[in-house]
């Protein structure tokens, strides 16, 4: 039995503002556009550590998401979100929802809202 359930865009839309939504993409992709209320927890940073599962769990806990909490996880196409869910499951997370369609699916419907982060770039001197 998996420690996560696969969900669709309708489920995610209903949970905006009610359940933590975690975008595991790199910050540039997140800043370009993400599901409203989503927080960015980088899978690439966790994957570069000696124990990626433990590192990712620590990053989730640093953001107030603990093993008994429910959370939705997504990325660009679903692959990295699944990896994140597998890592978290190995660390005791048992109430995860994998948005398998992820951002590609979300953005395919213009009626779904997308938040963009205001990113400031410093000019090179």
């Amino acid at each position: 039995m998996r420690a996560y359930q696969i969900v669709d865009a309708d489920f995610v839309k209903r949970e905006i503002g009610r359940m933590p939504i975690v975008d595991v993409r790199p910050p540039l992709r997140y800043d370009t556009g993400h599901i409203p209320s989503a927080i960015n927890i980088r899978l690439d940073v966790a994957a570069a550590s000696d124990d990626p599962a433990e590192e990712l769990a620590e990053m989730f806990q640093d953001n107030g998401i603990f093993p008994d909490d429910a959370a939705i996880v997504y990325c660009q196409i679903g692959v990295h979100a699944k990896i994140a869910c597998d890592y978290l499951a190995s660390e005791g997370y048992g109430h995860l929802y994998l948005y398998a369609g992820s951002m590609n699916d979300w953005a395919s419907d213009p009626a779904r809202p997308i938040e963009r982060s205001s990113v400031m770039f410093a000019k090179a001197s």
Side-chain angles (χ1 to χ4, degrees), residues 5-6 13 15 28 32 35-36 39 48 50 56 64 71 73 77 83-85 88 99 105-106 111 114-115 119:
Q5 294 178 36
I6 296 173
K13 191 171 184 179
E15 296 302 323
L28 186 58
T32 301
I35 296 171
I39 60 171
D50 290 337
L56 189 61
V73 181
I77 61 172
I83 292 167
C85 286
L88 293 164
Y99 179 19
D105 178 62
W106 186 263
I114 295 175
E115 282 185 351
V119 181

Side-chain angles (χ1 to χ4, degrees), residues 50-117:
D50 290 337
D51 187 342
E54 182 180 334
E55 180 68 22
L56 189 61
E58 286 178 16
M59 294 165 72
F60 266 62
Q61 291 168 27
D62 288 346
N63 283 276
I65 305 169
F66 297 92
D68 289 335
D69 297 332
I72 298 167
V73 181
Y74 76 96
C75 59
Q76 191 66 39
I77 61 172
V79 173
H80 290 109
K82 182 192 179 308
I83 292 167
C85 286
D86 289 338
Y87 281 155
L88 293 164
S90 74
E91 293 294 314
Y93 282 77
H95 306 287
L96 299 171
Y97 296 92
L98 168 63
Y99 179 19
S102 285
M103 198 62 196
N104 280 1
D105 178 62
W106 186 263
S108 70
D109 183 344
R112 293 185 194 124
I114 295 175
E115 282 185 351
R116 288 172 174 72
S117 300

